[in-house]
Amino acid sequence: MSLWFRIVRKKVRRRTRVKNTKNKIALSLHKEDAKAFTLSRLEYWNQFYNFKYGTVKIKSQTTRWGSCSSKGNLNINYRIVLLPEHLADYLIVHELCHLEEFNHSQKFWNLVSKTIPDFVQRRSELKKIRLD
Ligand SMILES: [Zn+2]
């Protein structure tokens, strides 16, 4: 391997490391914001439902906006802080309603529609937003 090549490779590695560190810091700040935001919106919307939920985790996955485990733990994508308010609220209510209905049955959508009557519109809007 030539010396020139080794020097270039070293520089690229260093640049990548700095970039990754910056990204990690940005992500952890977003996650803190997302956690505070999610907890306060959950509390707000749960006034209407009074469901019990477990741990709330903020995730950075690129495949889903949120999920609810059978144990009642909620996972929310940190990108919730980047959403317009009406979609962020839809996401919160959607996951909240899974605490009661663990599927997408008519019963589930009835629950969602109690607080988000235009959920069909919001659902399709959210689906159009890419996660990656
Ligand atoms: Zn769902």
Side-chain angles (χ1 to χ4, degrees), residues 34-47 53 92:
K35 179 104 181 203
F37 176 78
T38 299
L39 289 177
S40 82
R41 294 319 279 163
L42 271 173
E43 202 179 312
Y44 173 79
W45 288 108
N46 203 28
Q47 293 178 107
Y53 49 86
I92 294 287

Side-chain angles (χ1 to χ4, degrees), residues 98-109:
H98 275 317
L99 293 165
E100 185 75 6
E101 289 295 325
F102 207 70
N103 49 49
H104 293 126
S105 62
Q106 192 54 52
K107 265 176 143 181
F108 169 78
W109 294 115

